[in-house]
Structure formats: structure tokens, C-alpha cells
Amino acid sequence: MTKIGSPVNVNESYLKREDYYKNLIRKLNAEREKIKLGGGKSAIEKHKAKGKLTARERIKILIDDNSNFYELSTFAAYDMYKEYGGAPSSGTIYGIGKINNKYQVIVANDATVKAGAWFPITAKKNLRAQEIAMENKLPIIYLVDSAGVFLPLQDEIFPDKEHFGRIFRNNAVMSSMGIPQISAIMGPCVAGGAYLPIMSDEALIVEGEGSVFLAGAHLVRAAIGEVIDNESLGGAKVQSNISGVTDYIMKNDNECLKQIRSLSSKFGSMQTAGYNRIESKPPLHSPKEIYGLLPEDQIKPYDMYEIIARIVDDSEIDEYKAGYGKTVITAYARIDGWAVGIVANQRNVIKTETGEMQVGGVIYSDSSDKATRFIMNCNQRKIPLLFLQDVTGFMVGSRAEHGGIIKDGAKMVNAVANSVVPKITIIVGNSFGAGNYAMCGKAYDPRFIFAYPNAKIAVMGGSQASSVLLDIKLNQAKKDGKEFSEDDKKKLLDEIKNSYDESSNPLYAAARLWIDEIIDPAMTREYVSMAIDVANNNPDLPKFNVGVIQT
């Protein structure tokens, strides 16, 4: 084992970077607090006037005392659906928390946001929650309080493969997998949405507030002329004592949540995957020092070893092929006691043994080859993989092409795609082009994917992309007989760059669920440990086989 990292030099440059990063986190947390207000104070007051708890209050009561709830996709729908007044957190909250000391996925409709109606991104968010439950064989609890599909956008949520109906399909699949599902109907549960709780193993319903039916009273009257109220149509007593649709009648939210905890306490113990864990040791250097180590300008280099030294136990690693392919770091380490294999982009400029200078953050043929072999080793030894992304892509140019960069890059992509051990990805800085894929971006099924507040996700960097887009616009204008002055060109370039940068920032990515959550770098160890702990619940790893790899 090799100790890595060094004490920080707390100079003006360090303090400036630290202040910049802390300010990013402050702004992010301010946005998070706004989102937690859901539909706003007025909507919360109306909700609570009915004797109901808010979605986050329900979750807090449901999980174990003094335990953490790892909320995911908090920023779903951020800055989206403006024409409809927005949809904070997409009107649904989900995450991972401990109930009776066992991790479980919890999904709760926020009825203060458009009565808990489902927007297109809401369906995607619920599907992600179910995916996490299925991949990690975690029990899932649904706290239902929703008016159903948001009708103005029904064409974007109803018929496709990853739309509303997929949720009920997943209910059935999870049941066949033996994954416990419990639903609590704590408000309206209408139309197709009625299938979610009833396709769960057991369904609870709160008297006076919960109701479940395929068509509400208004629609029943319009469809068949029957005059009836919602309570008589599908309230708690009707659906529990007459139809037998629901299993337990609860007097209020608190009693309902207490009953869920009681049912959950009787779940049997499941087999684990057996990932290696020993006693945890803190890093030799404070994780909070990461703030001052990351550059404000993401083009600037920095030493990824210093970041890793503030994440791994005892700041200690077993580095694989340390002197070869240096723009990618591959190392075995421990995080909170868990054994991990780390694949990280080195952002410093690298001098090779032959004297060649390699650009940091770029994947070369040698580093791709090294990473491929390391990923295969981790799969052979059942060691979870942690990808620390700060990548601008694969090397380009005649020398790289003649050296077979596409072939070597394909090897790495192949190994990542076919990897069977849990993969956890953290986007530390840039995540550009095919580098996103090779370093296990969202398309490559990481169990969890997180981002730091200064992350960028795009086909290429803003400066390069805006130059390309400007050339396209200028060529088009030239064909139309138009000319631009130098000032006009500069103004247009700035507009393009600003627009491009906005669409590559982490809030934009989080809104569309390209990442699971934006995290505080100082919390990296905690999130990685949670992710491996959760992944350890699924012992059923398929056989590792990479198929055909060109050599």
C-alpha cells in the first residue's frame, strides 16, 4: 500500500478556490431549500389543514430515528415546465433510507405540487426509483397521494416504453423477483395510477383521505350517469371491507407509517453479495480540503491523486501499473472499509518515460489499455468500481489514429459495458464526448451516478463547441448573402457559448435525471459507502464476459 496526498498549502490561490467552491455549494443548498417547499407555503398550509403530513414529513417519520435519508433526483424538473408554473422535484420525492436498520427505497408523491400530478419527468423519476430497487434487490415503499397524469402533457407520459405504464410492469417484475413492495394510499389514487398500490404486495389506506378508483365521481357521472361521491365510490371502508382491494384501514398518516414499519420489521434477511469490508479508517487529509484543490476554471490542471487522498481510507492505495498510461489512474483502495477499484482521470500534464508530454484529462491508447485490464481484474475478484470522471475525451490526431486509439477506446468501452460488479460514477469536473462513455456515464448502467457542483456534461467543451457552432452559423449566413462584423461575431459567439454552458451544467443534467444527485465533495465517502452497502444486497451477479475485444 502506498500513502498518497500531501498537506495543502493554504495560500491565496487555495483560499480563492475554496471560497469559490463553498459559494457554489451555498447556492446549490439555497435552491434545494426552495425545492423542499414543494408547491409553496400556501399549498403546504392547505395540505396540512386536512390533517395530512407533507411528503418529507412522512419520510422522516418512516425512517429510523437519527438515520440519514439519501434523497435522490432532488433537482428533477428544475427550471422545466415553466409554462405550467413549474414542478419542484417533479412532484415526487424518492431516495434511500433505513427502516428497521435495512436500506429501502422510499417514493412519496408531493401533493402540494399540482396535487401530486405526474409530469413526463415524474414517470422517469419513478422508473429510476424502481430500477434502483431491482438492481440492488431493495424493498420499496410507495406513499401515494396523487391526482394522476398531468393531462396537458398526457402524450408525453402515457403510451411509450418508458412512460407511465412501465411502472406497473415493474411492479409485476419486482414481485416475481421477490422484492417486497408496500403501498400506502394517503390521498387520491386515480385511474391507471390505481394499479401501482394494488400491484404491490400489500396496500394500506388512510380513512377520510385515501381513495382509489379507476374513475372519480365526476368521470363516472359523465361516463355512465351515476351520481356518487368519491368516498362512497372508492374510500377506505369501501375498498377494504367491500371490494377487498386494500388490506389495512388506517386512521391517519402517523398510524399508517407506524404500520408500514411494523410490516417491514418482519421481512426476512436476504443473502448478500459479500463485497469485502473491514474496519473503516478516515483519510489522513480532510475531505473538506477538496474545495480548495479543485480549480475554478475547469480547463486548468490539478492532481487527482490529491483528491483521491481525501476520499480513501488512510489515504492509501495499491496502484495498478503506476508508471504506464498515466492519464488514467487505476488503483485498489478502501472507502469506509469497503474494497473498491478506482478508475480516475489524471488532470495534470503527464511526462512519459519517452519524454512525451500528455494532456491531462485525455484518454490515450496506453491509459485505455491499462483501464481495460484493471476493470477486468475487478470483475474477476468481485471488487466494486468507482469512476472519478474529469475527462475531455480520447486523444485525437494522426499519431493517435495511426496508433489505434479507436480500437483501444473500444476495448475500454467494452469492458465498462460488460462489467457486472457495481459501478459508481462521480463526475468531478468535465465529462465530455466518448470519455463520458468510457468512464461509465449514465448510458453504461452505473448503480449510482453523482456529480460535484462544478461538473460539466456535454459532447465537448463550451469553447470548442461554440467555435464549431459559430462556423456553422457563419457559413449558413454567407450562403444567404449575409456578412457579420467582428463585433457581431463576438456577440454571437458569446450567446452560443452561454447557451451551451447552461445546457452542460449539473443542474441541467440533474433536472433531466442524467445524474442521480449533485453532492457535496466532502460527502463523497458517505455516498460511495452507502452505494456499495446498498449494492451488497444483490448477490446475483451474472458471469463476467467481455465478448470480442480486438487486440
Side-chain angles (χ1 to χ4, degrees):
M1 299 286 282
T2 303
K3 302 283 186 186
I4 58 170
S6 55
V8 295
N9 180 13
V10 186
N11 54 21
E12 184 179 349
S13 178
Y14 175 88
L15 293 172
K16 188 178 177 183
R17 291 192 299 266
E18 181 184 50
D19 188 56
Y20 171 79
Y21 222 95
K22 284 182 175 179
N23 195 42
L24 275 182
I25 293 168
R26 280 194 292 269
K27 288 179 179 178
L28 192 71
N29 288 338
E31 292 300 318
R32 189 177 271 116
E33 289 307 310
K34 287 181 191 175
I35 287 168
K36 287 183 178 180
L37 289 174
K41 291 180 180 179
S42 177
I44 291 172
E45 287 171 5
K46 288 179 182 177
H47 181 84
K48 293 175 82 72
K50 298 174 184 177
K52 298 167 74 172
L53 298 168
T54 66
R56 285 186 172 82
E57 285 173 338
R58 288 167 175 167
I59 292 169
K60 188 175 180 180
I61 291 170
L62 183 59
I63 63 174
D64 295 347
D65 291 340
N66 301 316
S67 68
N68 291 329
F69 178 65
Y70 294 92
E71 185 172 346
L72 302 174
S73 301
T74 309
F75 296 98
Y78 181 83
D79 217 24
M80 295 170 66
Y81 310 121
K82 292 178 184 177
E83 64 272 38
Y84 303 108
S89 213
S90 79
T92 293
I93 298 153
Y94 93 91
I96 296 170
K98 283 190 174 180
I99 303 174
N100 300 305
N101 206 34
K102 293 179 182 176
Y103 277 125
Q104 303 186 37
V105 176
I106 303 167
V107 185
N109 299 121
D110 185 351
T112 70
V113 178
K114 302 290 191 297
W118 289 57
F119 287 76
I121 207 73
T122 315
K124 188 176 181 181
K125 185 170 177 176
N126 277 263
L127 287 170
R128 177 60 179 144
Q130 291 182 320
E131 181 180 46
I132 288 172
M134 287 189 283
E135 284 181 334
N136 302 289
K137 291 202 169 178
L138 293 184
I140 186 166
I141 311 295
Y142 307 99
L143 306 180
V144 185
D145 193 346
S146 171
V149 168
F150 187 66
L151 288 177
L153 296 173
Q154 64 84 26
D155 62 316
E156 297 179 40
I157 188 174
F158 171 67
D160 210 348
K161 181 180 178 180
E162 293 188 346
H163 282 179
F164 199 52
R166 187 77 173 182
I167 290 160
F168 319 134
R169 174 263 186 195
N170 286 351
N171 285 140
V173 170
M174 281 192 282
S175 184
S176 72
M177 292 171 67
I179 296 172
Q181 300 174 81
I182 294 178
S183 285
I185 302 166
M186 308 178 86
C189 185
V190 187
Y195 286 105
L196 185 147
I198 308 312
M199 291 189 73
S200 299
D201 302 333
E202 293 183 283
L204 303 82
I205 187 167
V206 177
E207 191 172 5
E209 287 301 330
S211 57
V212 55
F213 32 63
L214 292 182
H218 290 294
L219 188 54
V220 166
R221 184 172 184 175
I224 63 174
E226 181 183 0
V227 179
I228 191 170
D229 61 75
N230 283 339
E231 189 66 25
S232 303
L233 180 66
K237 288 184 178 178
V238 169
Q239 296 292 28
S240 294
N241 300 340
I242 298 174
S243 70
V245 167
T246 52
D247 305 307
Y248 305 89
I249 299 177
M250 301 288 105
K251 292 178 183 177
N252 52 47
D253 282 9
N254 279 287
E255 185 180 76
C256 184
L257 297 166
K258 185 178 179 181
Q259 181 67 20
I260 293 171
R261 285 187 56 83
S262 179
L263 294 171
S264 170
S265 71
K266 297 168 181 67
F267 293 165
S269 296
M270 305 294 283
Q271 199 175 2
T272 65
Y275 301 123
N276 187 282
R277 191 181 198 185
I278 62 173
E279 185 180 349
S280 175
K281 294 179 181 178
L284 297 179
H285 311 283
S286 170
K288 290 186 177 181
E289 292 175 355
I290 294 174
Y291 303 150
L293 293 170
L294 292 172
E296 303 150 88
D297 184 345
Q298 287 159 294
I299 297 173
K300 292 181 178 178
Y302 64 92
D303 191 351
M304 183 62 86
Y305 286 101
E306 294 293 344
I307 305 299
I308 295 171
R310 285 150 180 86
I311 294 173
V312 301
D313 288 13
D314 214 24
S315 299
E316 206 169 43
I317 62 173
D318 287 316
E319 187 168 7
Y320 175 77
K321 290 185 180 287
Y324 178 71
K326 292 183 179 181
T327 63
V328 171
I329 299 166
T330 50
Y332 304 104
R334 290 190 181 275
I335 296 177
D336 195 25
W338 292 104
V340 295
I342 297 172
V343 181
N345 302 111
Q346 172 59 299
R347 281 299 310 275
N348 268 341
V349 175
I350 302 298
K351 186 176 182 180
T352 68
E353 296 299 320
T354 60
E356 177 193 2
M357 302 303 289
Q358 294 186 340
V359 180
V362 175
I363 303 175
Y364 290 77
S365 284
D366 54 359
S367 47
S368 179
D369 176 67
K370 176 174 79 169
T372 301
R373 291 168 177 267
F374 181 74
I375 290 165
M376 294 169 73
N377 281 350
C378 288
N379 275 273
Q380 291 280 54
R381 300 168 189 177
K382 211 162 77 169
I383 300 172
L385 283 159
L386 172 64
F387 292 84
L388 298 176
Q389 281 197 18
D390 195 342
V391 58
T392 52
F394 284 89
M395 190 57 190
V396 296
S398 61
R399 184 173 179 179
E401 295 295 355
H402 297 170
I405 186 65
I406 297 175
K407 179 179 68 176
D408 290 323
K411 291 179 192 175
M412 185 174 174
V413 170
N414 191 323
V416 172
N418 287 297
S419 182
V420 297
V421 294
K423 296 170 289 190
I424 300 137
T425 300
I426 298 176
I427 302 172
V428 174
N430 300 313
S431 181
F432 295 157
N436 170 281
Y437 304 154
M439 292 295 293
C440 198
K442 186 66 184 288
Y444 287 77
D445 296 326
R447 293 287 181 99
F448 296 93
I449 180 167
F450 305 115
Y452 284 177
N454 207 27
K456 296 282 183 186
I457 306 168
V459 171
M460 61 181 77
S463 297
Q464 301 95 313
S466 52
S467 295
V468 172
L469 291 168
L470 178 64
D471 286 343
I472 293 169
K473 282 185 177 288
L474 292 177
N475 289 334
Q476 185 61 52
K478 192 174 182 180
K479 288 179 184 178
D480 296 337
K482 297 177 182 177
E483 292 291 336
F484 285 89
S485 68
E486 289 304 313
D487 285 345
D488 288 338
K489 288 179 184 178
K490 185 180 183 305
K491 185 179 179 182
L492 185 57
L493 181 64
D494 288 342
E495 287 175 359
I496 293 170
K497 188 175 185 305
N498 290 338
S499 175
Y500 192 88
D501 286 344
E502 184 180 336
S503 66
S504 60
N505 74 48
L507 280 171
Y508 190 93
R512 289 153 183 80
L513 308 191
W514 302 347
I515 56 176
D516 289 319
E517 193 67 11
I518 306 171
I519 66 169
D520 182 338
M523 301 284 286
T524 302
R525 282 171 55 81
E526 187 175 334
Y527 273 89
V528 172
S529 178
M530 177 276 292
I532 299 174
D533 203 353
V534 163
N536 198 39
N537 282 277
N538 185 357
D540 301 325
L541 290 185
K543 185 179 178 182
F544 177 60
N545 187 345
V546 294
V548 176
I549 291 186
Q550 289 189 348
T551 56

